[in-house]
Amino acid sequence: MTDTTSPGGTTADGGPDRTGAPDAPASRLSARGLTLAYESRTVVDGLDLDVPDGRVTVVVGPNACGKSTLLRALGRLLRPRRGAVLLDGRELDRVPTRAVARSLGLLPQAPVAPEAITVGNLVARGRQPHQRWWQQWSEADERAVTDAMDSTGVTGLADRAVDELSGGQRQRVWIAMALAQETELLLLDEPTTYLDIAHQVEVLDLVRRLNRERGRTVVMVLHDLNQAARYADHLVAMREGRIVAQGPPGRAVTADLVREVFGLEAVVVPDPVTGGPLVVPGAPASASAAAPATVPVNIRKATP
Amino acid sequence: MTAPDAVGETPREAPGREAPVRPPGYGLVRRGRASFLLHRRSAAVTAALAAALAAAVVASLCLGETATAPTEVVRVLLGLPSPEELVVGTLRLPRVVLGLMVGAALGVAGGLIQTVARNPLASPEIIGVTHGAAALTVGAMTFGLTSYALLPYLSVAGGMLAAALVYVFAWRRGLSAARFVLIGLGFSVALRSLTQLFMTKGDFLAAQQAQVWLTGSLNGRGWEQAGPLGWALLAVLPAVLWCARAQRQAALDDDTATALGVRLGRVRLGLAATGVVLASVATGAAGPVDFVALLSPQIARRLTRTAQIPLLATALLGAFVVTLGDLLARRLLAPVELPVGVLTAAIGAPYLVWLIARGRTGGRP
Ligand SMILES: Nc1ncnc2c1ncn2[C@@H]1O[C@H](COP(=O)(O)OP(=O)(O)OP(=O)(O)O)[C@@H](O)[C@H]1O
Ligand SMILES: [Mg+2]
């Protein structure tokens, strides 16, 4: 399905921004010539990516384009067929897995909890890479877990069995587990699935707070382009295993990009809340129809 | 839909908190930088099981063709002079000790194998250990092996060899739990046919003797089996201690475990190897004792209500079930003896059914 012809290259076809620009921020986590495959099918071919430190990077793209696959490789859940993922300049495979787990956390798209485990115990599992047989529950563990549960609003669920929660509650528990790991880099695969709109915004605000207040580097896959545009510092648009465009959403999100990535006609207007880009699907009747004032405003205001 | 409670159910105030927060159900001990968690319910269950086991052991030493007073049994156990020394110390004790060890080893083996297979129905029988042991032993007997002393060792070798083959065949870029069980099942069926083939083709008398030896029973077994088994278990003990922690990690799904820095490939191999060695040496010493490996871990987990199988409680429960089973096997139809496996199944199965039916931790199929 991938027809990439540029073995080393990545961004293509008039992407508005390029990595490796002279003023590009430092990057602890990057991919070089990454080729990812399951059995015989190649999903990602020769991809390069620098995850900017201290920023929120959001990956968007249509279903099955390889977003989760890329994220799994960045989190060393999938071994590259060719190329490498570099953490602090070292190949991920060469770094001891515990050490990786202390600086890189990942929430898979569909995690499965052990049978009958309680919420408190599952979140506590996030401390695994920081623990030893003789250090089973340090004060740091305590602080991290309390913190993670409070900020995801699952403290009151601590004694409930994970099996018995609603999809949204469960999702927040998993996010709490990933937060409890207290890694500087955090990879989240569709953290907003199952959540209602209010909780989506809450989780995204939480992610942003982690980034702004604690300097965490975040890479997340999101399906909603507008949420991506709103919460990303750096937006990566993928299609068929390639990066089609990347950059700040203000520049990256254009009607052309939406057409190219999703094959969807859309109008991009300024977001009435943030002033950033807002994608409104559908072709305008005439070219001038896209006046901001006509856009219905029903998006909850982000908490500052 | 998400509950509006989500917002209301948030924190107790974080600062000024007194009692340390810890995972629900756990007690905490801190000494300097060291800290240990103790699952309270598991501790209570373990203590109760230890008491039940002690009672079963004493009962088992008391009862026989003649009954002995518990006070005399205790005297013998303490090494004090006693008129019952011969009956208790020489005749009954080795058999009880062997039963204890076999039960504990099988229970833990079952727990480890079930963890690796991610399947509560997995057992040494299903992954090839039992039938591998049978095939090699019966094969050797029918093809002219005459040394009985070698039989246990052959049995151990057969079990480990079969399980190793199953593991290798189930491996394809990592171990798939489902493949492990299915390939194990396939091997077991094939090995059982092979055993039967040996029995019909080979020397009839030898085959009969092999079969008797392979019926799980503690009858006529004693220090010759208990001694080597004890040493073997002692040698495996460090691995079992490692497993106790590793097992917790293996309970998570592959991606989550890897993300948390667990080397799942190694962990699974370690768990499976330890389980197979335990099951093999136990089978070598007493023949296949049915259901102990299958039932003990599940009963223990339901008693402790933990997410993973509690190994110590499982060991005690396995030992208890075999001790009690053997006592009943000896006394129920005395002087006729039943195979202990029949009794362990008769005790364990109804209890497990009751636990599940009543179950809080019902569990997915
Ligand atoms: N474990 C697997 N084995 C084989 N093929 C897989 C596996 N996981 C994913 N794929 C294939 O790889 C391709 C990319 O999948 P991936 O999960 O990365 O998509 P995605 O962009 O995350 O999609 P979505 O938005 O639906 O989550 C798909 O064609 C998928 O069928
Ligand atoms: Mg995906």
Side-chain angles (χ1 to χ4, degrees), chain A residues 62-69 71-72 109 189-190 221 223:
Chain A
N63 287 135
C65 72
K67 304 182 296 294
S68 296
T69 305
L71 215 65
R72 285 167 50 88
Q109 188 166 3
D189 199 347
E190 301 196 23
V221 174
H223 262 297

Short mmCIF file of all heavy atoms in Angstrom, two decimals, chain A residues 62-69 71-72 109 189-190 221 223, ligand 2:
data_model
loop_
_atom_site.label_atom_id
_atom_site.label_comp_id
_atom_site.label_asym_id
_atom_site.label_seq_id
_atom_site.Cartn_x
_atom_site.Cartn_y
_atom_site.Cartn_z
N PRO A 62 -5.60 9.41 8.42
CA PRO A 62 -6.76 8.53 8.32
C PRO A 62 -6.51 7.18 8.98
O PRO A 62 -5.37 6.84 9.28
CB PRO A 62 -6.95 8.36 6.80
CG PRO A 62 -5.63 8.70 6.21
CD PRO A 62 -4.99 9.69 7.12
N ASN A 63 -7.57 6.43 9.20
CA ASN A 63 -7.44 5.09 9.79
C ASN A 63 -6.45 4.26 9.00
O ASN A 63 -6.36 4.36 7.78
CB ASN A 63 -8.79 4.36 9.77
CG ASN A 63 -9.76 4.93 10.79
OD1 ASN A 63 -10.92 5.15 10.52
ND2 ASN A 63 -9.27 5.20 11.98
N ALA A 64 -5.70 3.45 9.71
CA ALA A 64 -4.79 2.47 9.11
C ALA A 64 -3.62 3.10 8.35
O ALA A 64 -2.97 2.44 7.57
CB ALA A 64 -5.52 1.50 8.19
N CYS A 65 -3.33 4.37 8.61
CA CYS A 65 -2.21 4.98 7.90
C CYS A 65 -0.89 4.71 8.62
O CYS A 65 0.18 5.04 8.12
CB CYS A 65 -2.41 6.48 7.73
SG CYS A 65 -2.21 7.39 9.26
N GLY A 66 -0.96 4.12 9.80
CA GLY A 66 0.29 3.77 10.48
C GLY A 66 0.62 4.63 11.69
O GLY A 66 1.75 4.59 12.17
N LYS A 67 -0.33 5.34 12.22
CA LYS A 67 -0.08 6.19 13.38
C LYS A 67 0.30 5.36 14.60
O LYS A 67 1.32 5.60 15.25
CB LYS A 67 -1.32 7.04 13.71
CG LYS A 67 -1.81 7.90 12.57
CD LYS A 67 -3.01 8.73 12.98
CE LYS A 67 -4.24 7.91 13.34
NZ LYS A 67 -4.83 7.16 12.23
N SER A 68 -0.55 4.38 14.89
CA SER A 68 -0.26 3.53 16.06
C SER A 68 1.04 2.78 15.86
O SER A 68 1.84 2.61 16.78
CB SER A 68 -1.39 2.54 16.29
OG SER A 68 -2.57 3.21 16.60
N THR A 69 1.25 2.33 14.63
CA THR A 69 2.48 1.59 14.32
C THR A 69 3.70 2.46 14.61
O THR A 69 4.66 2.01 15.23
CB THR A 69 2.45 1.16 12.85
OG1 THR A 69 1.26 0.41 12.63
CG2 THR A 69 3.65 0.30 12.52
N LEU A 71 3.85 5.06 16.62
CA LEU A 71 3.93 5.31 18.05
C LEU A 71 4.51 4.10 18.79
O LEU A 71 5.33 4.24 19.69
CB LEU A 71 2.54 5.65 18.60
CG LEU A 71 2.52 6.69 19.72
CD1 LEU A 71 3.00 8.03 19.21
CD2 LEU A 71 1.14 6.81 20.33
N ARG A 72 4.07 2.92 18.35
CA ARG A 72 4.59 1.70 18.98
C ARG A 72 6.09 1.57 18.77
O ARG A 72 6.82 1.14 19.65
CB ARG A 72 3.88 0.47 18.41
CG ARG A 72 2.46 0.29 18.93
CD ARG A 72 1.72 -0.75 18.10
NE ARG A 72 2.51 -1.98 17.96
CZ ARG A 72 2.49 -3.00 18.80
NH1 ARG A 72 1.67 -2.96 19.81
NH2 ARG A 72 3.24 -4.05 18.62
N GLN A 109 -3.17 1.87 22.35
CA GLN A 109 -4.52 2.22 21.94
C GLN A 109 -5.56 1.35 22.65
O GLN A 109 -6.62 1.83 23.00
CB GLN A 109 -4.66 2.04 20.42
CG GLN A 109 -5.97 2.56 19.87
CD GLN A 109 -5.96 2.70 18.36
OE1 GLN A 109 -4.99 2.36 17.69
NE2 GLN A 109 -7.03 3.22 17.80
N ASP A 189 -1.67 7.02 22.63
CA ASP A 189 -2.39 6.65 21.40
C ASP A 189 -3.89 6.85 21.60
O ASP A 189 -4.53 6.08 22.30
CB ASP A 189 -2.08 5.19 21.06
CG ASP A 189 -2.40 4.88 19.60
OD1 ASP A 189 -3.08 5.71 18.96
OD2 ASP A 189 -1.97 3.81 19.11
N GLU A 190 -4.40 7.88 20.99
CA GLU A 190 -5.82 8.21 21.09
C GLU A 190 -6.32 8.22 22.53
O GLU A 190 -7.19 7.44 22.91
CB GLU A 190 -6.65 7.24 20.24
CG GLU A 190 -6.21 7.29 18.80
CD GLU A 190 -7.22 6.67 17.86
OE1 GLU A 190 -8.41 6.59 18.24
OE2 GLU A 190 -6.84 6.29 16.75
N VAL A 221 -1.63 10.64 19.39
CA VAL A 221 -2.44 10.46 18.19
C VAL A 221 -3.83 10.95 18.52
O VAL A 221 -4.39 10.60 19.55
CB VAL A 221 -2.49 8.97 17.80
CG1 VAL A 221 -3.43 8.76 16.63
CG2 VAL A 221 -1.10 8.45 17.47
N HIS A 223 -7.79 11.88 16.67
CA HIS A 223 -8.57 11.74 15.45
C HIS A 223 -9.23 13.04 15.02
O HIS A 223 -9.46 13.27 13.86
CB HIS A 223 -9.62 10.65 15.62
CG HIS A 223 -9.16 9.37 15.03
ND1 HIS A 223 -8.91 9.24 13.69
CD2 HIS A 223 -8.85 8.19 15.59
CE1 HIS A 223 -8.48 8.02 13.46
NE2 HIS A 223 -8.42 7.36 14.60
MG MG C 2 -4.28 3.55 15.82
#
